[in-house]
Amino acid sequence: AQTVTQSQPEMSVQEAETVTLSCTYDTSESDYYLFWYKQPPSRQMILVIRQEAYKQQNATENRFSVNFQKAAKSFSLKISDSQLGDAAMYFCAYKGNAGNMLTFGGGTRLMVKP
Amino acid sequence: EAQVTQNPRYLITVTGKKLTVTCSQNMNHEYMSWYRQDPGLGLRQIYYSMNVEVTDKGDVPEGYKVSRKEKRNFPLILESPSPNQTSLYFCASSPGQGRQPQHFGDGTRLSIL
């Protein structure tokens, strides 16, 4: 079974600075998908970014980018120019190529200091 | 507006009193699932459905039932709730396999006393 580990229960960053959230996963599959979801205090689950394992190029979405290291099974999220609205729980998630189940990490709570 | 709708948003009830959390999606998605979220554990899948009348267990199915009689609806049933089912529950849907992300409802906070 796949497992996803987020080793940082909490992180803090100064507004306008950069922060990186870590995620590692374990799988025997070669083709899969990785996601980062944001959960603000409103509890909504908001997709931040996704990465296909067959793509070598790291995904980027505006201030959000990933560092995908397939051999190391690592999928970190970098947030540049952090804003107060970025404060939330962040979840890393894995999905295999066959099926739809998402396997989530335990989450990282990000605090942004003004 | 494309959305997944869960009801109720909050519920406090007592042990043993049957309850149902409804979930409906308006995107004609084939795949629907239920997750529970607990501190430090992230979200864990309870049940999922690939299509009408097709359901299967996820990682933590004990104490839960589901049904998929219509494509848009996927209710979660707790026949005899217990305090260890106190949690935040999410329904999600997606169009199919592959890179398509799941769309989540706004969550249901259940407290079982």
Side-chain angles (χ1 to χ4, degrees), chain A residues 1-2 6 33 35 37 39 42-47 50-52 54-55 89 91 95-107, chain B residues 9-10 31 35 37-45 50 58-59 88 90 94 96-109:
Chain A
Q2 291 79 20
Q6 294 178 247
Y33 304 88
F35 304 85
Y37 280 89
Q39 187 182 49
S42 64
R43 299 185 334 210
Q44 291 176 297
M45 292 291 288
I46 302 166
L47 178 68
R50 60 183 152 185
Q51 174 81 42
E52 292 91 339
Y54 64 83
K55 288 188 177 179
M89 281 289 288
F91 292 98
K95 184 167 84 164
N97 190 41
N100 275 285
M101 189 177 94
L102 282 172
T103 300
F104 285 86
Chain B
R9 291 291 310 277
Y10 302 90
Y31 181 87
Y35 296 86
Q37 181 181 348
D38 300 290
L41 298 177
L43 282 75
R44 294 176 293 166
Q45 191 177 57
M50 299 295 287
D59 287 336
L88 178 59
F90 285 96
S94 67
Q97 298 181 6
R99 71 185 301 269
Q100 297 301 323
Q102 294 192 16
H103 299 257
F104 285 84
D106 287 341
T108 296
R109 172 74 68 186

Short mmCIF file of all heavy atoms in Angstrom, two decimals, chain A residues 1-2 6 33 35 37 39 42-47 50-52 54-55 89 91 95-107, chain B residues 9-10 31 35 37-45 50 58-59 88 90 94 96-109:
data_model
loop_
_atom_site.label_atom_id
_atom_site.label_comp_id
_atom_site.label_asym_id
_atom_site.label_seq_id
_atom_site.Cartn_x
_atom_site.Cartn_y
_atom_site.Cartn_z
N ALA A 1 0.85 -1.20 0.00
CA ALA A 1 0.00 0.00 0.00
C ALA A 1 0.88 1.24 0.00
O ALA A 1 1.99 1.24 0.54
CB ALA A 1 -0.91 0.00 1.22
N GLN A 2 0.35 2.27 -0.64
CA GLN A 2 1.10 3.51 -0.70
C GLN A 2 1.00 4.25 0.64
O GLN A 2 -0.02 4.19 1.32
CB GLN A 2 0.56 4.41 -1.81
CG GLN A 2 0.84 3.89 -3.20
CD GLN A 2 -0.11 2.79 -3.62
OE1 GLN A 2 -1.17 2.64 -3.06
NE2 GLN A 2 0.30 1.99 -4.60
N GLN A 6 4.36 13.54 5.66
CA GLN A 6 4.73 14.96 5.78
C GLN A 6 5.37 15.12 7.15
O GLN A 6 4.71 15.00 8.17
CB GLN A 6 3.48 15.85 5.64
CG GLN A 6 2.86 15.79 4.26
CD GLN A 6 1.62 16.64 4.15
OE1 GLN A 6 0.51 16.11 3.99
NE2 GLN A 6 1.77 17.95 4.22
N TYR A 33 0.18 10.08 -9.80
CA TYR A 33 -0.04 11.52 -9.77
C TYR A 33 0.11 12.01 -8.33
O TYR A 33 -0.24 11.31 -7.38
CB TYR A 33 -1.46 11.87 -10.28
CG TYR A 33 -1.72 11.32 -11.66
CD1 TYR A 33 -2.22 10.03 -11.82
CD2 TYR A 33 -1.43 12.07 -12.79
CE1 TYR A 33 -2.44 9.51 -13.09
CE2 TYR A 33 -1.65 11.55 -14.06
CZ TYR A 33 -2.15 10.27 -14.19
OH TYR A 33 -2.35 9.74 -15.44
N PHE A 35 -0.40 15.48 -5.68
CA PHE A 35 -1.17 16.71 -5.52
C PHE A 35 -0.78 17.40 -4.21
O PHE A 35 -0.40 16.75 -3.23
CB PHE A 35 -2.68 16.41 -5.46
CG PHE A 35 -3.22 15.65 -6.64
CD1 PHE A 35 -3.16 14.26 -6.67
CD2 PHE A 35 -3.78 16.32 -7.72
CE1 PHE A 35 -3.66 13.55 -7.75
CE2 PHE A 35 -4.29 15.61 -8.81
CZ PHE A 35 -4.23 14.22 -8.82
N TYR A 37 -2.92 19.95 -1.66
CA TYR A 37 -4.18 20.60 -1.36
C TYR A 37 -3.97 21.57 -0.20
O TYR A 37 -3.20 21.31 0.73
CB TYR A 37 -5.24 19.58 -0.95
CG TYR A 37 -5.90 18.84 -2.10
CD1 TYR A 37 -5.34 17.65 -2.58
CD2 TYR A 37 -7.06 19.31 -2.69
CE1 TYR A 37 -5.95 16.96 -3.63
CE2 TYR A 37 -7.67 18.62 -3.74
CZ TYR A 37 -7.11 17.45 -4.20
OH TYR A 37 -7.70 16.77 -5.23
N GLN A 39 -6.00 23.65 2.86
CA GLN A 39 -7.23 23.68 3.64
C GLN A 39 -7.19 24.88 4.58
O GLN A 39 -6.59 24.83 5.65
CB GLN A 39 -7.41 22.39 4.44
CG GLN A 39 -8.77 22.31 5.15
CD GLN A 39 -8.93 21.06 5.97
OE1 GLN A 39 -8.07 20.68 6.75
NE2 GLN A 39 -10.06 20.38 5.77
N SER A 42 -11.70 27.75 6.71
CA SER A 42 -13.06 27.47 6.23
C SER A 42 -13.29 25.98 5.96
O SER A 42 -14.42 25.55 5.71
CB SER A 42 -13.31 28.24 4.93
OG SER A 42 -12.44 27.77 3.91
N ARG A 43 -12.24 25.17 6.03
CA ARG A 43 -12.27 23.70 5.88
C ARG A 43 -12.33 23.23 4.43
O ARG A 43 -12.24 22.04 4.18
CB ARG A 43 -13.44 23.06 6.63
CG ARG A 43 -13.45 23.26 8.09
CD ARG A 43 -14.54 22.50 8.80
NE ARG A 43 -15.72 22.20 8.02
CZ ARG A 43 -16.94 22.08 8.55
NH1 ARG A 43 -17.11 22.26 9.83
NH2 ARG A 43 -17.97 21.77 7.79
N GLN A 44 -12.48 24.15 3.49
CA GLN A 44 -12.51 23.70 2.10
C GLN A 44 -11.20 23.03 1.72
O GLN A 44 -10.14 23.38 2.24
CB GLN A 44 -12.70 24.90 1.17
CG GLN A 44 -14.06 25.55 1.25
CD GLN A 44 -14.09 26.79 0.36
OE1 GLN A 44 -13.35 27.74 0.59
NE2 GLN A 44 -14.92 26.76 -0.65
N MET A 45 -11.25 22.07 0.82
CA MET A 45 -10.06 21.44 0.27
C MET A 45 -9.84 22.03 -1.11
O MET A 45 -10.62 21.80 -2.04
CB MET A 45 -10.24 19.92 0.19
CG MET A 45 -10.31 19.24 1.53
SD MET A 45 -8.74 19.26 2.41
CE MET A 45 -7.80 18.07 1.45
N ILE A 46 -8.76 22.79 -1.25
CA ILE A 46 -8.51 23.53 -2.49
C ILE A 46 -7.26 22.97 -3.16
O ILE A 46 -6.19 22.91 -2.53
CB ILE A 46 -8.30 25.03 -2.18
CG1 ILE A 46 -9.53 25.59 -1.46
CG2 ILE A 46 -8.01 25.81 -3.46
CD1 ILE A 46 -9.30 26.93 -0.82
N LEU A 47 -7.39 22.55 -4.41
CA LEU A 47 -6.23 22.03 -5.14
C LEU A 47 -5.26 23.17 -5.41
O LEU A 47 -5.63 24.20 -5.97
CB LEU A 47 -6.67 21.39 -6.45
CG LEU A 47 -5.54 20.85 -7.33
CD1 LEU A 47 -4.88 19.66 -6.66
CD2 LEU A 47 -6.07 20.47 -8.70
N ARG A 50 -0.57 20.09 -9.10
CA ARG A 50 -0.48 18.66 -9.34
C ARG A 50 0.69 18.34 -10.26
O ARG A 50 1.13 19.19 -11.04
CB ARG A 50 -1.77 18.12 -9.96
CG ARG A 50 -2.13 18.75 -11.29
CD ARG A 50 -3.45 18.23 -11.80
NE ARG A 50 -4.11 19.22 -12.63
CZ ARG A 50 -5.34 19.06 -13.13
NH1 ARG A 50 -6.02 17.98 -12.87
NH2 ARG A 50 -5.88 20.00 -13.87
N GLN A 51 1.16 17.10 -10.15
CA GLN A 51 2.33 16.67 -10.91
C GLN A 51 2.10 15.25 -11.41
O GLN A 51 1.69 14.39 -10.64
CB GLN A 51 3.57 16.70 -10.01
CG GLN A 51 4.83 16.15 -10.61
CD GLN A 51 5.54 17.14 -11.51
OE1 GLN A 51 5.64 18.32 -11.20
NE2 GLN A 51 6.06 16.67 -12.62
N GLU A 52 2.34 15.05 -12.69
CA GLU A 52 2.30 13.69 -13.23
C GLU A 52 3.69 13.08 -13.10
O GLU A 52 4.68 13.74 -13.45
CB GLU A 52 1.89 13.71 -14.71
CG GLU A 52 0.46 14.13 -14.96
CD GLU A 52 0.31 15.63 -15.19
OE1 GLU A 52 1.20 16.40 -14.78
OE2 GLU A 52 -0.70 16.02 -15.78
N TYR A 54 5.22 10.95 -14.83
CA TYR A 54 5.96 10.74 -16.07
C TYR A 54 6.59 12.03 -16.60
O TYR A 54 7.39 12.00 -17.52
CB TYR A 54 5.06 10.10 -17.14
CG TYR A 54 3.89 10.95 -17.58
CD1 TYR A 54 4.04 11.94 -18.55
CD2 TYR A 54 2.64 10.76 -17.03
CE1 TYR A 54 2.96 12.71 -18.96
CE2 TYR A 54 1.55 11.52 -17.43
CZ TYR A 54 1.72 12.49 -18.39
OH TYR A 54 0.66 13.25 -18.80
N LYS A 55 6.21 13.15 -16.02
CA LYS A 55 6.77 14.43 -16.46
C LYS A 55 7.99 14.78 -15.62
O LYS A 55 7.93 14.80 -14.39
CB LYS A 55 5.73 15.55 -16.33
CG LYS A 55 4.61 15.47 -17.35
CD LYS A 55 3.74 16.71 -17.28
CE LYS A 55 2.65 16.67 -18.35
NZ LYS A 55 1.76 17.85 -18.29
N MET A 89 -3.72 24.65 6.44
CA MET A 89 -3.16 23.29 6.45
C MET A 89 -2.90 22.92 5.00
O MET A 89 -3.71 23.19 4.11
CB MET A 89 -4.15 22.30 7.05
CG MET A 89 -4.22 22.30 8.54
SD MET A 89 -2.76 21.60 9.32
CE MET A 89 -2.97 19.86 8.93
N PHE A 91 -1.92 19.65 2.54
CA PHE A 91 -1.87 18.20 2.45
C PHE A 91 -1.25 17.78 1.13
O PHE A 91 -1.64 18.26 0.07
CB PHE A 91 -3.27 17.59 2.55
CG PHE A 91 -3.92 17.74 3.89
CD1 PHE A 91 -4.84 18.75 4.12
CD2 PHE A 91 -3.61 16.87 4.92
CE1 PHE A 91 -5.45 18.89 5.36
CE2 PHE A 91 -4.21 16.99 6.17
CZ PHE A 91 -5.13 18.01 6.39
N LYS A 95 -2.01 9.62 -5.94
CA LYS A 95 -3.03 8.82 -6.63
C LYS A 95 -2.34 7.94 -7.66
O LYS A 95 -1.59 8.43 -8.49
CB LYS A 95 -4.06 9.71 -7.31
CG LYS A 95 -5.19 8.92 -7.95
CD LYS A 95 -6.36 9.82 -8.35
CE LYS A 95 -6.13 10.45 -9.70
NZ LYS A 95 -7.39 11.00 -10.25
N GLY A 96 -2.63 6.64 -7.62
CA GLY A 96 -2.07 5.73 -8.60
C GLY A 96 -2.73 5.92 -9.95
O GLY A 96 -3.77 6.56 -10.07
N ASN A 97 -2.14 5.34 -10.97
CA ASN A 97 -2.66 5.51 -12.32
C ASN A 97 -3.97 4.75 -12.52
O ASN A 97 -4.83 5.19 -13.27
CB ASN A 97 -1.62 5.02 -13.33
CG ASN A 97 -1.99 5.38 -14.76
OD1 ASN A 97 -2.47 6.48 -15.01
ND2 ASN A 97 -1.78 4.47 -15.67
N ALA A 98 -4.09 3.62 -11.84
CA ALA A 98 -5.33 2.84 -11.93
C ALA A 98 -6.15 3.10 -10.68
O ALA A 98 -5.69 2.84 -9.58
CB ALA A 98 -5.02 1.36 -12.06
N GLY A 99 -7.35 3.63 -10.85
CA GLY A 99 -8.17 3.91 -9.68
C GLY A 99 -8.15 5.39 -9.35
O GLY A 99 -7.47 6.19 -9.98
N ASN A 100 -8.93 5.73 -8.35
CA ASN A 100 -9.10 7.14 -8.00
C ASN A 100 -8.79 7.48 -6.55
O ASN A 100 -8.89 8.62 -6.17
CB ASN A 100 -10.55 7.55 -8.27
CG ASN A 100 -10.76 7.95 -9.73
OD1 ASN A 100 -10.35 9.02 -10.14
ND2 ASN A 100 -11.36 7.08 -10.49
N MET A 101 -8.41 6.48 -5.76
CA MET A 101 -8.22 6.77 -4.35
C MET A 101 -7.03 7.69 -4.13
O MET A 101 -5.96 7.49 -4.69
CB MET A 101 -8.01 5.49 -3.55
CG MET A 101 -8.03 5.74 -2.05
SD MET A 101 -7.87 4.25 -1.05
CE MET A 101 -6.13 4.23 -0.76
N LEU A 102 -7.25 8.70 -3.30
CA LEU A 102 -6.17 9.59 -2.88
C LEU A 102 -5.66 9.11 -1.53
O LEU A 102 -6.43 8.88 -0.62
CB LEU A 102 -6.68 11.02 -2.75
CG LEU A 102 -6.86 11.84 -4.02
CD1 LEU A 102 -7.55 13.15 -3.70
CD2 LEU A 102 -5.52 12.10 -4.69
N THR A 103 -4.35 9.00 -1.43
CA THR A 103 -3.71 8.73 -0.15
C THR A 103 -3.05 10.01 0.33
O THR A 103 -2.20 10.57 -0.38
CB THR A 103 -2.66 7.61 -0.29
OG1 THR A 103 -3.31 6.42 -0.75
CG2 THR A 103 -2.03 7.32 1.06
N PHE A 104 -3.44 10.47 1.52
CA PHE A 104 -2.99 11.76 2.02
C PHE A 104 -1.90 11.60 3.07
O PHE A 104 -1.86 10.62 3.82
CB PHE A 104 -4.15 12.50 2.68
CG PHE A 104 -5.13 13.10 1.71
CD1 PHE A 104 -6.18 12.34 1.21
CD2 PHE A 104 -5.01 14.41 1.29
CE1 PHE A 104 -7.09 12.87 0.31
CE2 PHE A 104 -5.91 14.97 0.41
CZ PHE A 104 -6.95 14.20 -0.09
N GLY A 105 -1.05 12.62 3.14
CA GLY A 105 -0.15 12.76 4.26
C GLY A 105 -0.89 13.36 5.45
O GLY A 105 -2.06 13.74 5.34
N GLY A 106 -0.21 13.47 6.57
CA GLY A 106 -0.84 13.95 7.80
C GLY A 106 -1.05 15.45 7.85
O GLY A 106 -1.74 15.95 8.74
N GLY A 107 -0.47 16.18 6.92
CA GLY A 107 -0.69 17.62 6.84
C GLY A 107 0.41 18.43 7.51
O GLY A 107 1.08 17.97 8.44
N ARG B 9 -23.75 20.45 7.68
CA ARG B 9 -22.37 20.92 7.88
C ARG B 9 -21.89 20.55 9.27
O ARG B 9 -20.70 20.31 9.48
CB ARG B 9 -22.31 22.44 7.72
CG ARG B 9 -22.55 22.94 6.31
CD ARG B 9 -21.42 22.59 5.33
NE ARG B 9 -20.09 22.92 5.82
CZ ARG B 9 -19.53 24.11 5.73
NH1 ARG B 9 -20.20 25.13 5.21
NH2 ARG B 9 -18.29 24.31 6.18
N TYR B 10 -22.80 20.55 10.21
CA TYR B 10 -22.47 20.20 11.60
C TYR B 10 -23.58 19.31 12.16
O TYR B 10 -24.74 19.51 11.84
CB TYR B 10 -22.38 21.45 12.49
CG TYR B 10 -21.37 22.47 12.06
CD1 TYR B 10 -21.71 23.48 11.17
CD2 TYR B 10 -20.06 22.42 12.53
CE1 TYR B 10 -20.78 24.42 10.77
CE2 TYR B 10 -19.12 23.36 12.13
CZ TYR B 10 -19.49 24.35 11.25
OH TYR B 10 -18.57 25.28 10.85
N TYR B 31 -17.06 8.97 -10.44
CA TYR B 31 -16.39 8.53 -9.21
C TYR B 31 -16.76 9.42 -8.04
O TYR B 31 -16.71 10.65 -8.15
CB TYR B 31 -14.88 8.56 -9.42
CG TYR B 31 -14.08 8.10 -8.23
CD1 TYR B 31 -13.79 6.75 -8.04
CD2 TYR B 31 -13.59 9.01 -7.30
CE1 TYR B 31 -13.04 6.32 -6.96
CE2 TYR B 31 -12.84 8.59 -6.21
CZ TYR B 31 -12.57 7.25 -6.05
OH TYR B 31 -11.84 6.84 -4.97
N TYR B 35 -14.27 10.54 2.78
CA TYR B 35 -13.06 10.56 3.59
C TYR B 35 -13.42 11.05 4.99
O TYR B 35 -14.36 11.82 5.18
CB TYR B 35 -12.03 11.52 3.01
CG TYR B 35 -11.48 11.15 1.65
CD1 TYR B 35 -12.13 11.53 0.49
CD2 TYR B 35 -10.29 10.44 1.54
CE1 TYR B 35 -11.63 11.20 -0.75
CE2 TYR B 35 -9.77 10.11 0.29
CZ TYR B 35 -10.46 10.49 -0.84
OH TYR B 35 -9.94 10.17 -2.07
N GLN B 37 -11.34 13.03 8.21
CA GLN B 37 -10.11 13.74 8.53
C GLN B 37 -9.94 13.79 10.04
O GLN B 37 -10.82 14.27 10.77
CB GLN B 37 -10.15 15.19 7.99
CG GLN B 37 -8.88 15.96 8.29
CD GLN B 37 -8.94 17.39 7.76
OE1 GLN B 37 -9.83 17.74 6.99
NE2 GLN B 37 -8.00 18.20 8.17
N ASP B 38 -8.80 13.32 10.51
CA ASP B 38 -8.47 13.33 11.93
C ASP B 38 -7.09 13.94 12.11
O ASP B 38 -6.21 13.75 11.26
CB ASP B 38 -8.50 11.91 12.49
CG ASP B 38 -9.87 11.26 12.33
OD1 ASP B 38 -10.80 11.69 13.01
OD2 ASP B 38 -10.00 10.34 11.48
N PRO B 39 -6.87 14.66 13.22
CA PRO B 39 -5.58 15.37 13.42
C PRO B 39 -4.39 14.43 13.29
O PRO B 39 -4.36 13.36 13.90
CB PRO B 39 -5.74 15.92 14.84
CG PRO B 39 -7.21 16.06 15.04
CD PRO B 39 -7.82 14.91 14.30
N GLY B 40 -3.42 14.86 12.51
CA GLY B 40 -2.19 14.09 12.34
C GLY B 40 -2.29 12.93 11.38
O GLY B 40 -1.27 12.35 11.00
N LEU B 41 -3.50 12.59 10.99
CA LEU B 41 -3.70 11.44 10.09
C LEU B 41 -4.08 11.86 8.68
O LEU B 41 -4.22 11.00 7.80
CB LEU B 41 -4.76 10.51 10.65
CG LEU B 41 -4.46 9.88 12.01
CD1 LEU B 41 -5.63 9.03 12.48
CD2 LEU B 41 -3.18 9.04 11.95
N GLY B 42 -4.30 13.12 8.45
CA GLY B 42 -4.76 13.56 7.14
C GLY B 42 -6.15 13.05 6.85
O GLY B 42 -6.97 12.84 7.77
N LEU B 43 -6.45 12.83 5.59
CA LEU B 43 -7.74 12.30 5.18
C LEU B 43 -7.58 10.83 4.82
O LEU B 43 -6.63 10.46 4.12
CB LEU B 43 -8.28 13.06 3.96
CG LEU B 43 -8.91 14.42 4.19
CD1 LEU B 43 -7.86 15.49 4.47
CD2 LEU B 43 -9.78 14.83 3.01
N ARG B 44 -8.50 10.04 5.29
CA ARG B 44 -8.48 8.60 4.99
C ARG B 44 -9.78 8.20 4.33
O ARG B 44 -10.86 8.62 4.76
CB ARG B 44 -8.26 7.79 6.27
CG ARG B 44 -6.89 8.00 6.91
CD ARG B 44 -6.79 7.25 8.23
NE ARG B 44 -7.69 7.81 9.23
CZ ARG B 44 -8.01 7.20 10.37
NH1 ARG B 44 -7.52 6.00 10.63
NH2 ARG B 44 -8.82 7.78 11.24
N GLN B 45 -9.67 7.37 3.30
CA GLN B 45 -10.86 7.02 2.54
C GLN B 45 -11.69 5.98 3.27
O GLN B 45 -11.18 4.96 3.74
CB GLN B 45 -10.47 6.51 1.16
CG GLN B 45 -11.65 6.38 0.22
CD GLN B 45 -11.26 5.93 -1.17
OE1 GLN B 45 -10.64 4.89 -1.34
NE2 GLN B 45 -11.61 6.72 -2.16
N MET B 50 -17.36 3.70 -8.09
CA MET B 50 -16.90 3.96 -9.45
C MET B 50 -18.05 4.33 -10.37
O MET B 50 -17.84 4.92 -11.42
CB MET B 50 -16.18 2.73 -10.01
CG MET B 50 -14.93 2.34 -9.24
SD MET B 50 -13.63 3.60 -9.34
CE MET B 50 -13.11 3.37 -11.02
N GLY B 58 -12.85 1.52 1.35
CA GLY B 58 -11.57 2.19 1.36
C GLY B 58 -10.72 1.67 2.50
O GLY B 58 -10.80 0.49 2.86
N ASP B 59 -9.96 2.54 3.12
CA ASP B 59 -9.03 2.12 4.18
C ASP B 59 -9.70 1.94 5.53
O ASP B 59 -9.25 1.14 6.35
CB ASP B 59 -7.91 3.15 4.32
CG ASP B 59 -6.94 3.09 3.16
OD1 ASP B 59 -6.85 2.02 2.52
OD2 ASP B 59 -6.28 4.10 2.89
N LEU B 88 -14.22 14.92 11.08
CA LEU B 88 -14.62 15.79 9.98
C LEU B 88 -14.69 14.93 8.73
O LEU B 88 -13.71 14.26 8.39
CB LEU B 88 -13.59 16.91 9.82
CG LEU B 88 -13.80 17.90 8.68
CD1 LEU B 88 -15.13 18.61 8.80
CD2 LEU B 88 -12.64 18.92 8.66
N PHE B 90 -15.52 14.35 4.57
CA PHE B 90 -15.56 14.99 3.26
C PHE B 90 -16.06 14.01 2.21
O PHE B 90 -15.64 12.85 2.16
CB PHE B 90 -14.17 15.46 2.83
CG PHE B 90 -13.70 16.68 3.54
CD1 PHE B 90 -12.89 16.59 4.65
CD2 PHE B 90 -14.08 17.94 3.09
CE1 PHE B 90 -12.45 17.73 5.31
CE2 PHE B 90 -13.65 19.09 3.74
CZ PHE B 90 -12.84 18.98 4.85
N SER B 94 -14.94 12.89 -8.87
CA SER B 94 -14.06 13.19 -10.00
C SER B 94 -14.59 12.48 -11.23
O SER B 94 -15.33 11.50 -11.12
CB SER B 94 -12.61 12.77 -9.70
OG SER B 94 -12.50 11.37 -9.61
N GLY B 96 -13.08 10.66 -13.51
CA GLY B 96 -12.55 9.35 -13.88
C GLY B 96 -11.14 9.19 -13.37
O GLY B 96 -10.70 9.90 -12.48
N GLN B 97 -10.43 8.27 -13.97
CA GLN B 97 -9.09 7.98 -13.51
C GLN B 97 -8.10 9.00 -14.07
O GLN B 97 -8.44 9.84 -14.87
CB GLN B 97 -8.69 6.57 -13.96
CG GLN B 97 -9.57 5.48 -13.37
CD GLN B 97 -9.15 4.11 -13.82
OE1 GLN B 97 -8.14 3.94 -14.47
NE2 GLN B 97 -9.92 3.10 -13.46
N GLY B 98 -6.87 8.88 -13.62
CA GLY B 98 -5.83 9.71 -14.19
C GLY B 98 -5.60 10.99 -13.42
O GLY B 98 -5.80 11.07 -12.22
N ARG B 99 -5.24 12.02 -14.16
CA ARG B 99 -4.75 13.24 -13.54
C ARG B 99 -5.86 14.13 -13.00
O ARG B 99 -5.59 15.11 -12.33
CB ARG B 99 -3.92 14.03 -14.54
CG ARG B 99 -4.72 14.67 -15.66
CD ARG B 99 -3.82 15.32 -16.69
NE ARG B 99 -2.97 16.33 -16.14
CZ ARG B 99 -3.29 17.63 -16.08
NH1 ARG B 99 -4.46 18.03 -16.50
NH2 ARG B 99 -2.45 18.51 -15.58
N GLN B 100 -7.13 13.78 -13.30
CA GLN B 100 -8.21 14.66 -12.86
C GLN B 100 -8.27 14.73 -11.34
O GLN B 100 -8.33 13.71 -10.67
CB GLN B 100 -9.55 14.15 -13.40
CG GLN B 100 -9.66 14.16 -14.90
CD GLN B 100 -9.46 15.55 -15.48
OE1 GLN B 100 -9.90 16.52 -14.89
NE2 GLN B 100 -8.82 15.63 -16.62
N PRO B 101 -8.25 15.92 -10.78
CA PRO B 101 -8.30 16.04 -9.32
C PRO B 101 -9.71 15.78 -8.82
O PRO B 101 -10.68 15.87 -9.56
CB PRO B 101 -7.91 17.50 -9.09
CG PRO B 101 -8.40 18.20 -10.30
CD PRO B 101 -8.21 17.23 -11.43
N GLN B 102 -9.78 15.49 -7.55
CA GLN B 102 -11.09 15.30 -6.93
C GLN B 102 -11.62 16.65 -6.46
O GLN B 102 -10.88 17.50 -5.98
CB GLN B 102 -10.98 14.32 -5.77
CG GLN B 102 -10.62 12.92 -6.26
CD GLN B 102 -10.78 11.87 -5.19
OE1 GLN B 102 -11.44 12.08 -4.18
NE2 GLN B 102 -10.19 10.71 -5.42
N HIS B 103 -12.93 16.83 -6.61
CA HIS B 103 -13.61 18.02 -6.12
C HIS B 103 -14.23 17.66 -4.77
O HIS B 103 -14.94 16.66 -4.67
CB HIS B 103 -14.70 18.46 -7.09
CG HIS B 103 -14.19 18.82 -8.44
ND1 HIS B 103 -14.05 20.13 -8.85
CD2 HIS B 103 -13.77 18.06 -9.46
CE1 HIS B 103 -13.58 20.14 -10.08
NE2 HIS B 103 -13.39 18.90 -10.47
N PHE B 104 -13.96 18.46 -3.77
CA PHE B 104 -14.41 18.17 -2.42
C PHE B 104 -15.61 19.02 -2.03
O PHE B 104 -15.72 20.19 -2.43
CB PHE B 104 -13.28 18.41 -1.42
CG PHE B 104 -12.22 17.35 -1.44
CD1 PHE B 104 -11.19 17.39 -2.37
CD2 PHE B 104 -12.26 16.29 -0.55
CE1 PHE B 104 -10.21 16.40 -2.41
CE2 PHE B 104 -11.28 15.31 -0.57
CZ PHE B 104 -10.27 15.36 -1.50
N GLY B 105 -16.47 18.43 -1.21
CA GLY B 105 -17.50 19.20 -0.54
C GLY B 105 -16.89 20.02 0.59
O GLY B 105 -15.68 19.96 0.84
N ASP B 106 -17.72 20.78 1.29
CA ASP B 106 -17.22 21.69 2.32
C ASP B 106 -17.03 21.02 3.68
O ASP B 106 -16.63 21.69 4.63
CB ASP B 106 -18.17 22.88 2.47
CG ASP B 106 -18.06 23.83 1.30
OD1 ASP B 106 -17.05 23.78 0.58
OD2 ASP B 106 -19.00 24.63 1.10
N GLY B 107 -17.33 19.74 3.76
CA GLY B 107 -17.07 19.01 5.00
C GLY B 107 -18.28 18.99 5.94
O GLY B 107 -19.10 19.91 5.95
N THR B 108 -18.35 17.93 6.73
CA THR B 108 -19.38 17.77 7.76
C THR B 108 -18.69 17.43 9.07
O THR B 108 -17.97 16.43 9.15
CB THR B 108 -20.36 16.65 7.39
OG1 THR B 108 -21.07 17.01 6.21
CG2 THR B 108 -21.35 16.39 8.52
N ARG B 109 -18.90 18.27 10.07
CA ARG B 109 -18.32 18.01 11.38
C ARG B 109 -19.32 17.21 12.19
O ARG B 109 -20.38 17.70 12.53
CB ARG B 109 -18.00 19.33 12.07
CG ARG B 109 -17.56 19.19 13.52
CD ARG B 109 -16.18 18.67 13.66
NE ARG B 109 -15.15 19.60 13.20
CZ ARG B 109 -13.86 19.30 13.11
NH1 ARG B 109 -13.44 18.09 13.45
NH2 ARG B 109 -13.00 20.20 12.69
#
